[in-house]
Structures are given as C-alpha cells and as structure tokens.
Amino acid sequence: MQSIVVYCGANFGHKQIYRESAYELGAELAKKNIRLIYGGGNMGLMGRVADGALENNGLATGIIPNFLAKLEVAQKTLTELHFVDTMHERKAKMVSLSDGVIALPGGFGTLDELFEILTWSQLKIFHGPIGVLNINGFYDHLLAHLNKMVEEGFLHQAQLDLLIVSDRATDLLEKMQAYHESEKENKPLDTSLFVKNIEK
C-alpha cells in the first residue's frame, strides 16, 4: 500500500490515549512509507495523525473544502493540500488517492465516511482494505450492533467481514496489507460518476 485515507474526529476526545494513538498511527504510516491522505485539518485527532506522519519524515496530503479553509482550520505544513468545493468532492477525492481506509474515533462525520466507504466496497466500487482502529474499545458498541444486523438478516456476514478491526496500529496495518496483496482484481475507483449523481 502506498497511501491510506484516515477518517477521524476534529476533536481530541476526553482521554489522552486517543491523541497518543492518532499520533502513533501517523508515525507508523511514515515508518512504512505509506502516504497519509486525510481531511486536511489541524484540529483534534486530524491534526495529531498529520503531526505523527510529518514529524517522522512521512508524507501527508490533505483534502479540504474551501468553506472550511476559510475558517482557518487547514493544516498549513502538509506535503500537499487540495481545495475542493463540497464535502462530497472531498470524500471522493480522498478515496481516489488511496489504497485503503482507516477510521479512528470520531463523530458523525467519521461514521458517515466509514459507512459510505463500506457501502462502496459492498457494491464493488472500492476494492481496498477498510480498517477500524478500535482505540480504548471506542467502537465496541458499534461492532456489536453490526453483528446484530447480521443476526437479524439485514447484513450478510461476508459484508461485515469487509471491515478489518484491531486495537493496535501495527497489527491493523499488517492485516490490511495482507488483504491488499490478496486482492487480485484491484480496480481503480472512478469517483466522477458518483460525484455527478450526488450533486444533481
């Protein structure tokens, strides 16, 4: 894998372990020469994962909508910073640049991004590995609900298995790399049609 999108909160959360783990993930990406692709902000866990990559000689590319950049929340020391017009363009652009996706703890936006990319994977639009870094058991209740969806017949086990989960960055990246290498028909994501349809 040459690049990974990281979805995460623009807040730090109440516990120090969240910011520490976000930084460690960024540092681990740098160590493995994997470019960080993320939302371009300098606040909360977004800022920490970027710091972890950049302060360890890694590469970080941010994608940020113009209206958020005007609020002066963009990280200004990134390797690359792309400006787009809408949130839909932002999500499509981030994924189009990536070989995989990782979700850290976050709020509505993080969950929106995570479930959208899982849907794209289910529909064979996106072919890369999708991981959740389950720091401090943050996603335990969500994972339990996903299993409930399988139990009640609203989700197939094979679809749930698209999600790779670990509480350690190194372990998660190893599992994602194994998935990436086993995906023999990995096709590039064409986001142009998706964006056009969304904005109609």
Side-chain angles (χ1 to χ4, degrees), residues 36-61:
L36 166 67
I37 311 291
Y38 85 117
N42 63 1
M43 301 170 65
L45 299 190
M46 293 177 69
R48 290 306 291 157
V49 71
D51 289 343
L54 293 168
E55 291 175 8
N56 289 276
N57 301 312
L59 302 175
T61 296

PDB file of all heavy atoms in Angstrom, residues 36-61:
ATOM      1  N   LEU A  36      -0.126   9.472   4.090  1.00  0.00           N
ATOM      2  CA  LEU A  36      -1.389   9.771   4.766  1.00  0.00           C
ATOM      3  C   LEU A  36      -2.246  10.660   3.875  1.00  0.00           C
ATOM      4  O   LEU A  36      -1.792  11.694   3.394  1.00  0.00           O
ATOM      5  CB  LEU A  36      -1.117  10.487   6.092  1.00  0.00           C
ATOM      6  CG  LEU A  36      -2.318  11.167   6.758  1.00  0.00           C
ATOM      7  CD1 LEU A  36      -3.333  10.126   7.230  1.00  0.00           C
ATOM      8  CD2 LEU A  36      -1.860  12.066   7.904  1.00  0.00           C
ATOM      9  N   ILE A  37      -3.496  10.235   3.653  1.00  0.00           N
ATOM     10  CA  ILE A  37      -4.500  11.060   2.994  1.00  0.00           C
ATOM     11  C   ILE A  37      -5.572  11.336   4.033  1.00  0.00           C
ATOM     12  O   ILE A  37      -6.093  10.398   4.650  1.00  0.00           O
ATOM     13  CB  ILE A  37      -5.138  10.342   1.775  1.00  0.00           C
ATOM     14  CG1 ILE A  37      -4.065   9.738   0.861  1.00  0.00           C
ATOM     15  CG2 ILE A  37      -6.059  11.286   1.022  1.00  0.00           C
ATOM     16  CD1 ILE A  37      -3.224  10.722   0.120  1.00  0.00           C
ATOM     17  N   TYR A  38      -5.905  12.598   4.261  1.00  0.00           N
ATOM     18  CA  TYR A  38      -6.913  12.882   5.286  1.00  0.00           C
ATOM     19  C   TYR A  38      -7.592  14.212   4.975  1.00  0.00           C
ATOM     20  O   TYR A  38      -7.346  14.822   3.939  1.00  0.00           O
ATOM     21  CB  TYR A  38      -6.270  12.861   6.677  1.00  0.00           C
ATOM     22  CG  TYR A  38      -5.618  14.151   7.108  1.00  0.00           C
ATOM     23  CD1 TYR A  38      -6.084  14.849   8.216  1.00  0.00           C
ATOM     24  CD2 TYR A  38      -4.546  14.686   6.390  1.00  0.00           C
ATOM     25  CE1 TYR A  38      -5.488  16.044   8.611  1.00  0.00           C
ATOM     26  CE2 TYR A  38      -3.954  15.861   6.784  1.00  0.00           C
ATOM     27  CZ  TYR A  38      -4.432  16.541   7.892  1.00  0.00           C
ATOM     28  OH  TYR A  38      -3.844  17.729   8.266  1.00  0.00           O
ATOM     29  N   GLY A  39      -8.450  14.638   5.885  1.00  0.00           N
ATOM     30  CA  GLY A  39      -9.301  15.794   5.630  1.00  0.00           C
ATOM     31  C   GLY A  39      -8.638  17.155   5.655  1.00  0.00           C
ATOM     32  O   GLY A  39      -9.304  18.172   5.410  1.00  0.00           O
ATOM     33  N   GLY A  40      -7.345  17.222   5.952  1.00  0.00           N
ATOM     34  CA  GLY A  40      -6.605  18.473   5.819  1.00  0.00           C
ATOM     35  C   GLY A  40      -6.659  19.412   7.004  1.00  0.00           C
ATOM     36  O   GLY A  40      -6.040  20.477   6.977  1.00  0.00           O
ATOM     37  N   GLY A  41      -7.366  19.049   8.063  1.00  0.00           N
ATOM     38  CA  GLY A  41      -7.500  19.951   9.207  1.00  0.00           C
ATOM     39  C   GLY A  41      -6.352  19.839  10.196  1.00  0.00           C
ATOM     40  O   GLY A  41      -5.586  18.876  10.192  1.00  0.00           O
ATOM     41  N   ASN A  42      -6.259  20.855  11.069  1.00  0.00           N
ATOM     42  CA  ASN A  42      -5.204  20.848  12.086  1.00  0.00           C
ATOM     43  C   ASN A  42      -5.768  20.684  13.496  1.00  0.00           C
ATOM     44  O   ASN A  42      -5.062  20.847  14.478  1.00  0.00           O
ATOM     45  CB  ASN A  42      -4.367  22.128  12.008  1.00  0.00           C
ATOM     46  CG  ASN A  42      -5.188  23.389  12.306  1.00  0.00           C
ATOM     47  OD1 ASN A  42      -6.380  23.305  12.597  1.00  0.00           O
ATOM     48  ND2 ASN A  42      -4.548  24.548  12.231  1.00  0.00           N
ATOM     49  N   MET A  43      -7.063  20.356  13.579  1.00  0.00           N
ATOM     50  CA  MET A  43      -7.726  20.277  14.876  1.00  0.00           C
ATOM     51  C   MET A  43      -7.933  18.823  15.293  1.00  0.00           C
ATOM     52  O   MET A  43      -8.119  17.945  14.464  1.00  0.00           O
ATOM     53  CB  MET A  43      -9.081  20.998  14.808  1.00  0.00           C
ATOM     54  CG  MET A  43      -8.974  22.460  14.416  1.00  0.00           C
ATOM     55  SD  MET A  43     -10.583  23.222  14.067  1.00  0.00           S
ATOM     56  CE  MET A  43     -11.331  23.124  15.697  1.00  0.00           C
ATOM     57  N   GLY A  44      -7.909  18.571  16.586  1.00  0.00           N
ATOM     58  CA  GLY A  44      -8.245  17.269  17.130  1.00  0.00           C
ATOM     59  C   GLY A  44      -7.355  16.148  16.629  1.00  0.00           C
ATOM     60  O   GLY A  44      -6.158  16.332  16.368  1.00  0.00           O
ATOM     61  N   LEU A  45      -7.952  14.961  16.486  1.00  0.00           N
ATOM     62  CA  LEU A  45      -7.188  13.802  16.044  1.00  0.00           C
ATOM     63  C   LEU A  45      -6.678  13.967  14.626  1.00  0.00           C
ATOM     64  O   LEU A  45      -5.641  13.410  14.260  1.00  0.00           O
ATOM     65  CB  LEU A  45      -8.045  12.529  16.150  1.00  0.00           C
ATOM     66  CG  LEU A  45      -8.539  12.146  17.540  1.00  0.00           C
ATOM     67  CD1 LEU A  45      -9.164  10.753  17.508  1.00  0.00           C
ATOM     68  CD2 LEU A  45      -7.432  12.217  18.581  1.00  0.00           C
ATOM     69  N   MET A  46      -7.402  14.762  13.817  1.00  0.00           N
ATOM     70  CA  MET A  46      -6.929  15.034  12.455  1.00  0.00           C
ATOM     71  C   MET A  46      -5.537  15.649  12.488  1.00  0.00           C
ATOM     72  O   MET A  46      -4.632  15.247  11.761  1.00  0.00           O
ATOM     73  CB  MET A  46      -7.896  15.962  11.722  1.00  0.00           C
ATOM     74  CG  MET A  46      -9.253  15.371  11.425  1.00  0.00           C
ATOM     75  SD  MET A  46     -10.372  16.556  10.643  1.00  0.00           S
ATOM     76  CE  MET A  46      -9.582  16.714   9.048  1.00  0.00           C
ATOM     77  N   GLY A  47      -5.368  16.634  13.349  1.00  0.00           N
ATOM     78  CA  GLY A  47      -4.075  17.294  13.464  1.00  0.00           C
ATOM     79  C   GLY A  47      -2.992  16.380  14.010  1.00  0.00           C
ATOM     80  O   GLY A  47      -1.845  16.413  13.566  1.00  0.00           O
ATOM     81  N   ARG A  48      -3.380  15.519  14.962  1.00  0.00           N
ATOM     82  CA  ARG A  48      -2.386  14.641  15.585  1.00  0.00           C
ATOM     83  C   ARG A  48      -1.883  13.566  14.622  1.00  0.00           C
ATOM     84  O   ARG A  48      -0.692  13.250  14.605  1.00  0.00           O
ATOM     85  CB  ARG A  48      -2.971  13.975  16.832  1.00  0.00           C
ATOM     86  CG  ARG A  48      -3.189  14.925  17.978  1.00  0.00           C
ATOM     87  CD  ARG A  48      -1.928  15.691  18.330  1.00  0.00           C
ATOM     88  NE  ARG A  48      -0.916  14.830  18.924  1.00  0.00           N
ATOM     89  CZ  ARG A  48       0.395  15.098  18.925  1.00  0.00           C
ATOM     90  NH1 ARG A  48       0.862  16.173  18.312  1.00  0.00           N
ATOM     91  NH2 ARG A  48       1.241  14.273  19.508  1.00  0.00           N
ATOM     92  N   VAL A  49      -2.778  12.977  13.828  1.00  0.00           N
ATOM     93  CA  VAL A  49      -2.315  11.951  12.892  1.00  0.00           C
ATOM     94  C   VAL A  49      -1.406  12.571  11.833  1.00  0.00           C
ATOM     95  O   VAL A  49      -0.401  11.972  11.428  1.00  0.00           O
ATOM     96  CB  VAL A  49      -3.504  11.190  12.262  1.00  0.00           C
ATOM     97  CG1 VAL A  49      -4.266  12.038  11.284  1.00  0.00           C
ATOM     98  CG2 VAL A  49      -3.028   9.899  11.598  1.00  0.00           C
ATOM     99  N   ALA A  50      -1.710  13.806  11.421  1.00  0.00           N
ATOM    100  CA  ALA A  50      -0.845  14.501  10.464  1.00  0.00           C
ATOM    101  C   ALA A  50       0.507  14.820  11.100  1.00  0.00           C
ATOM    102  O   ALA A  50       1.560  14.651  10.461  1.00  0.00           O
ATOM    103  CB  ALA A  50      -1.523  15.778   9.976  1.00  0.00           C
ATOM    104  N   ASP A  51       0.488  15.269  12.352  1.00  0.00           N
ATOM    105  CA  ASP A  51       1.750  15.537  13.057  1.00  0.00           C
ATOM    106  C   ASP A  51       2.600  14.270  13.140  1.00  0.00           C
ATOM    107  O   ASP A  51       3.822  14.314  12.941  1.00  0.00           O
ATOM    108  CB  ASP A  51       1.469  16.044  14.477  1.00  0.00           C
ATOM    109  CG  ASP A  51       0.902  17.458  14.503  1.00  0.00           C
ATOM    110  OD1 ASP A  51       1.013  18.166  13.484  1.00  0.00           O
ATOM    111  OD2 ASP A  51       0.330  17.833  15.543  1.00  0.00           O
ATOM    112  N   GLY A  52       1.957  13.153  13.446  1.00  0.00           N
ATOM    113  CA  GLY A  52       2.686  11.900  13.565  1.00  0.00           C
ATOM    114  C   GLY A  52       3.385  11.517  12.276  1.00  0.00           C
ATOM    115  O   GLY A  52       4.521  11.037  12.289  1.00  0.00           O
ATOM    116  N   ALA A  53       2.709  11.754  11.155  1.00  0.00           N
ATOM    117  CA  ALA A  53       3.320  11.436   9.860  1.00  0.00           C
ATOM    118  C   ALA A  53       4.442  12.414   9.528  1.00  0.00           C
ATOM    119  O   ALA A  53       5.565  12.007   9.205  1.00  0.00           O
ATOM    120  CB  ALA A  53       2.256  11.452   8.767  1.00  0.00           C
ATOM    121  N   LEU A  54       4.159  13.694   9.625  1.00  0.00           N
ATOM    122  CA  LEU A  54       5.113  14.719   9.191  1.00  0.00           C
ATOM    123  C   LEU A  54       6.345  14.784  10.080  1.00  0.00           C
ATOM    124  O   LEU A  54       7.459  14.999   9.593  1.00  0.00           O
ATOM    125  CB  LEU A  54       4.425  16.078   9.153  1.00  0.00           C
ATOM    126  CG  LEU A  54       3.323  16.228   8.095  1.00  0.00           C
ATOM    127  CD1 LEU A  54       2.518  17.505   8.340  1.00  0.00           C
ATOM    128  CD2 LEU A  54       3.909  16.218   6.696  1.00  0.00           C
ATOM    129  N   GLU A  55       6.183  14.601  11.385  1.00  0.00           N
ATOM    130  CA  GLU A  55       7.312  14.686  12.310  1.00  0.00           C
ATOM    131  C   GLU A  55       8.190  13.441  12.277  1.00  0.00           C
ATOM    132  O   GLU A  55       9.227  13.393  12.950  1.00  0.00           O
ATOM    133  CB  GLU A  55       6.793  14.949  13.729  1.00  0.00           C
ATOM    134  CG  GLU A  55       6.193  16.340  13.880  1.00  0.00           C
ATOM    135  CD  GLU A  55       5.572  16.576  15.248  1.00  0.00           C
ATOM    136  OE1 GLU A  55       5.743  15.719  16.140  1.00  0.00           O
ATOM    137  OE2 GLU A  55       4.918  17.619  15.423  1.00  0.00           O
ATOM    138  N   ASN A  56       7.766  12.449  11.500  1.00  0.00           N
ATOM    139  CA  ASN A  56       8.576  11.245  11.333  1.00  0.00           C
ATOM    140  C   ASN A  56       8.952  11.034   9.863  1.00  0.00           C
ATOM    141  O   ASN A  56       9.098   9.905   9.395  1.00  0.00           O
ATOM    142  CB  ASN A  56       7.819  10.039  11.891  1.00  0.00           C
ATOM    143  CG  ASN A  56       7.736  10.062  13.404  1.00  0.00           C
ATOM    144  OD1 ASN A  56       8.652   9.629  14.092  1.00  0.00           O
ATOM    145  ND2 ASN A  56       6.632  10.583  13.922  1.00  0.00           N
ATOM    146  N   ASN A  57       9.105  12.164   9.169  1.00  0.00           N
ATOM    147  CA  ASN A  57       9.564  12.184   7.773  1.00  0.00           C
ATOM    148  C   ASN A  57       8.615  11.477   6.809  1.00  0.00           C
ATOM    149  O   ASN A  57       9.044  10.946   5.786  1.00  0.00           O
ATOM    150  CB  ASN A  57      10.964  11.569   7.664  1.00  0.00           C
ATOM    151  CG  ASN A  57      11.993  12.308   8.503  1.00  0.00           C
ATOM    152  OD1 ASN A  57      12.072  13.530   8.453  1.00  0.00           O
ATOM    153  ND2 ASN A  57      12.758  11.567   9.296  1.00  0.00           N
ATOM    154  N   GLY A  58       7.333  11.489   7.146  1.00  0.00           N
ATOM    155  CA  GLY A  58       6.343  10.904   6.261  1.00  0.00           C
ATOM    156  C   GLY A  58       5.708  11.948   5.360  1.00  0.00           C
ATOM    157  O   GLY A  58       6.025  13.140   5.422  1.00  0.00           O
ATOM    158  N   LEU A  59       4.796  11.490   4.511  1.00  0.00           N
ATOM    159  CA  LEU A  59       4.087  12.357   3.584  1.00  0.00           C
ATOM    160  C   LEU A  59       2.624  12.446   3.987  1.00  0.00           C
ATOM    161  O   LEU A  59       2.019  11.439   4.377  1.00  0.00           O
ATOM    162  CB  LEU A  59       4.189  11.821   2.151  1.00  0.00           C
ATOM    163  CG  LEU A  59       5.601  11.639   1.594  1.00  0.00           C
ATOM    164  CD1 LEU A  59       5.535  10.991   0.216  1.00  0.00           C
ATOM    165  CD2 LEU A  59       6.321  12.977   1.523  1.00  0.00           C
ATOM    166  N   ALA A  60       2.051  13.630   3.885  1.00  0.00           N
ATOM    167  CA  ALA A  60       0.651  13.823   4.265  1.00  0.00           C
ATOM    168  C   ALA A  60      -0.034  14.732   3.254  1.00  0.00           C
ATOM    169  O   ALA A  60       0.445  15.842   2.980  1.00  0.00           O
ATOM    170  CB  ALA A  60       0.547  14.423   5.664  1.00  0.00           C
ATOM    171  N   THR A  61      -1.130  14.259   2.708  1.00  0.00           N
ATOM    172  CA  THR A  61      -1.926  15.019   1.755  1.00  0.00           C
ATOM    173  C   THR A  61      -3.286  15.317   2.366  1.00  0.00           C
ATOM    174  O   THR A  61      -3.973  14.392   2.814  1.00  0.00           O
ATOM    175  CB  THR A  61      -2.118  14.233   0.440  1.00  0.00           C
ATOM    176  OG1 THR A  61      -0.849  14.047  -0.176  1.00  0.00           O
ATOM    177  CG2 THR A  61      -3.047  14.965  -0.514  1.00  0.00           C
TER     178      THR A  61
END
